[in-house]
Amino acid sequence: MDDLLAVNHLQTAFDTDQGLVVSVDDVSFRLKPGETLALVGESGSGKSVTALSVMQLLGKGSRIVGGKVWFEGTNVLELDDKLMREIRGNKISMIFQEPMTSLNPVLTIGYQMCESIMLHLKQSKKEAREAAIAMLRKVGLPRVEQIMDEYPLALSGGMRQRVMIAMALSCKPKVLIADEPTTALDVTVQAQIMQLMKELCEESGTAILLITHDLGVVAEMADRVLVMYAGQVVEETDVYTLFDHPEHPYTKGLLKSIPRIDADEHESLESIPGVVPVRYQNIAGCRFYNRCPIATETCKSVLPPLAITNEGHYTRCWEVGNIKEGVWEEAYE
């Protein structure tokens, strides 16, 4: 099956007082129709910037300095603003991370919901309103007819998040980028939203790029998982292999930090010492070196490649299997 979205060696940087700072460094991945790919990693790993780069929604002072983003055979990084507006919200849609600031405070919910439906689906105002009301009901909002005429300030954070999810799903996009889509929601509503996203995926072949810190959501939703650290991909594999046979020390640390129901009540929850480096483009070797329990001198001085360690399993670590033995090939040429 052909790739719906293909990101090749993406590199995104920010202009700062200290010069150009690379935030996303040589990130590659593939997304097929109907597939859910999860991006996981600590805050500051580059997950959201990767998604914003794909959408070309980077703010002032930031720019893509390398790589290509192929969508249905077109490199979207070469498209102008007009052509990108035809894709955003229609073919590629995004649920943004912060519900409190992502809606326009001076426009009603109904106006914001109907705008994209009328623009992309060419529906009348009446048809767009009916479609918007139906989608708001699907995401579990009450009194939807009233909410359509209200402004965002009248809604709680969780309600605004559901409005944003409804907006992102309203045009049935081919790719849905969901950046922490259930952060502001109650646990029961989270399950409903995840089920809705699954149904969309099955009905229309929508592919989902899911950005989350919640490994429970990853286990429930994802087909494959991309683990990011300090702007780079450190491991990629299918969801079952990731949980059963993780290879990178960082991935293992993330999994060990999950509370377990069968753990001893006096057992302390494990954590990864240290923090993600702020400026990491000048690090010569592995960027996880100063936090890694198995690091060697080679790790400190030489950057490991993202290499194929098993079929469909890619890892960036000198101490893993065939990479350590010197028998490996690059994951993405």
Side-chain angles (χ1 to χ4, degrees), residues 145-247:
E145 288 85 355
Q146 293 173 262
I147 287 176
M148 287 284 288
D149 298 319
E150 292 178 348
Y151 292 88
L153 60 87
L155 306 183
S156 68
M159 294 174 77
R160 293 188 207 187
Q161 183 76 328
R162 277 181 272 183
V163 169
M164 289 173 54
I165 292 168
M167 289 175 64
L169 299 179
S170 59
C171 292
K172 296 185 178 179
K174 293 186 177 182
V175 174
L176 175 65
I177 301 175
D179 192 353
E180 299 284 355
T182 59
T183 299
L185 303 179
D186 298 327
V187 175
T188 52
V189 178
Q190 285 186 25
Q192 294 170 11
I193 296 301
M194 289 301 172
Q195 183 60 36
L196 176 63
M197 291 170 65
K198 273 189 173 182
E199 289 172 2
L200 174 74
C201 189
E202 293 168 358
E203 289 173 8
S204 57
T206 297
I208 301 175
L209 182 61
L210 176 65
I211 300 171
T212 182
H213 292 93
D214 191 337
L215 290 172
V217 171
V218 172
E220 177 67 23
M221 287 287 295
D223 298 306
R224 291 187 299 117
V225 186
L226 202 75
V227 183
M228 291 188 67
Y229 182 79
Q232 293 181 328
V233 177
V234 296
E235 188 162 2
E236 179 185 353
T237 187
D238 66 88
V239 67
Y240 298 106
T241 302
L242 187 92
F243 280 89
D244 292 338
H245 303 288
E247 292 185 336

Side-chain angles (χ1 to χ4, degrees), residues 34-52:
E35 183 181 40
T36 298
L37 173 65
L39 264 63
V40 301
E42 293 168 281
S43 296
S45 296
K47 306 183 301 298
S48 294
V49 177
T50 298
L52 292 171

Side-chain angles (χ1 to χ4, degrees), residues 4-5 31 51-52 54-55 57 71 84-96 112-113 116-117 120 135 163-179 181 197 200 206-211:
L4 183 60
L5 180 70
L31 192 58
L52 292 171
V54 170
M55 295 287 286
L57 288 174
F71 174 70
M84 274 306 299
R85 282 196 296 271
E86 294 176 3
I87 291 176
R88 291 192 205 106
N90 183 23
K91 295 182 178 181
I92 305 178
S93 193
M94 185 168 181
I95 303 170
F96 294 95
Q112 296 183 66
M113 284 287 299
S116 63
I117 298 174
H120 295 304
M135 186 56 71
V163 169
M164 289 173 54
I165 292 168
M167 289 175 64
L169 299 179
S170 59
C171 292
K172 296 185 178 179
K174 293 186 177 182
V175 174
L176 175 65
I177 301 175
D179 192 353
M197 291 170 65
L200 174 74
T206 297
I208 301 175
L209 182 61
L210 176 65
I211 300 171

